Amino acid sequence: MDNKVEIIEVGPRDGFQSVTCAHIPLQEKLELIGDLVSVGVRHMEFTSFVSPKAIPQLADAGEITKAVLETYPDLDMFALVPNLRGAKNAYESGLQKVCYVVSLSASHNQANINRTHEQSLASFREIKDTYPDMEIIVDLATAFGCPFEGKYRDPYRVKEFLKDYVEAGMKTCCLCDTIGIADPAQVKGLIAVLQEAYPDLGLMVHFHDTRGSGLANSLAAIEAGVVRLQSALGGLGGCPFAPGASGNLSTEDLVWVLEEMGYETGICFHELLKTAKKQAGMIQGNYSGHQIHIRD
Ligand code: COA
Ligand code: ZN
């Protein structure tokens, strides 16, 4: 068996966007990104080019991108964009890779990015046309269920939704469990349907851990043949526009289980744990009244 898996760290984007009580300085963000790289992280979604009114914490996206690209030119670093304006800003900051977010749920799409499905598809096509060389992952938010509409049990609904994106040139799709409502059987069922319908489509997964099912869902995805998994240091994060959403699957937990099982993540668990504790101390001490517990 090929035992390599790709861990994509999303904490600097998905985690920091949820730290709403104070601004984290650019230098501290860069220090944490540096720590993540030094423990072996090679793939990272490190910021978003979104409205600073919607996500004030990531208003420094342009500056952070320039610093990250200069320091880590050979790593797989990318940012989230919600529209052409975000893609333009990302491109002009030097990024060649972004992820474009759309929700399977029409109501969450409206709450999150204030677009109808038709507008989101049109915007994706516009970005593809404007930046044909840019690599664009489509982040399918609420792929397994929605905070407003409940759980989606029919995988063919996802397949139908993605058809237009595949036809518009989508090469990779990340199935995001925005509120942590997925279960392992659903994960396997959905991946099997998508693999059969779109054999050339690259798949990634992104699980939240609301009911402690993030690890089980990640393992189910691996069993179904997906080797690219997203997670966030310290389990930090969640969508500010999904009521009740809790944290991401923590990178420490994912790395520990996978390494114990014999998979190669390329990440040193013990050093990663130190970084998670450092981040928890930093956020708890300076920016948040919340208790953050990192398990030893
Ligand atoms: N980057 C920075 N600013 C942007 C922007 C972008 N990508 N897109 C729009 N804006 C600005 C506009 O210039 C405008 O500014 P102004 O009020 O000073 O004139 C304002 O945002 C509203 O622009 P509009 O095009 O009307 O967008 P909107 O109000 O419909 O908001 C989004 C749409 C997508 C820009 C906004 O909802 C957003 O950024 N959401 C964040 C979603 C997110 O990150 N969710 C969590 C991760 S999934
Ligand atoms: Zn997330």
Side-chain angles (χ1 to χ4, degrees), residues 10 13-14 17 176-178 206-208 230 232 236-239 246-249:
V10 298
R13 193 279 297 174
D14 198 340
Q17 77 180 11
C176 301
D177 185 17
T178 309
H206 174 121
F207 293 114
H208 281 242
Q230 298 193 344
L236 197 65
C239 176
S246 75
N248 283 285
L249 169 62

Side-chain angles (χ1 to χ4, degrees), residues 44-56:
M44 199 186 302
E45 186 183 69
F46 64 91
T47 192
S48 307
F49 285 87
V50 294
S51 159
K53 285 183 188 153
I55 311 273

Side-chain angles (χ1 to χ4, degrees), residues 19 33 55 175 254 261 270 291:
V19 178
I33 289 170
I55 311 273
L175 303 169
L254 183 60
M261 289 174 76
H270 294 287
Q291 288 294 315

Side-chain angles (χ1 to χ4, degrees), residues 6-18 43-48 78 80 99-102 108 112 137-145 172-183 186-187 190-191 194 202-210 213-222 226-233 235-240 242 245-251 254:
E6 192 175 298
I7 308 284
I8 300 136
E9 171 64 41
V10 298
R13 193 279 297 174
D14 198 340
F16 289 169
Q17 77 180 11
S18 69
H43 312 274
M44 199 186 302
E45 186 183 69
F46 64 91
T47 192
S48 307
F78 59 98
L80 180 144
C99 87
Y100 174 76
V101 62
V102 57
H108 183 261
N112 193 34
I137 298 166
V138 173
D139 255 9
L140 185 64
T142 66
F144 300 90
T172 307
C173 178
C174 182
L175 303 169
C176 301
D177 185 17
T178 309
I179 55 167
I181 202 172
D183 66 80
Q186 182 188 19
V187 169
L190 175 56
I191 290 171
L194 296 180
L203 291 174
M204 270 182 201
V205 286
H206 174 121
F207 293 114
H208 281 242
D209 215 16
T210 315
S213 56
L215 263 181
N217 289 333
S218 299
L219 294 175
I222 291 175
V226 172
V227 293
R228 289 187 280 176
L229 307 133
Q230 298 193 344
S231 57
L233 186 70
L236 197 65
C239 176
S246 75
N248 283 285
L249 169 62
S250 96
T251 308
L254 183 60

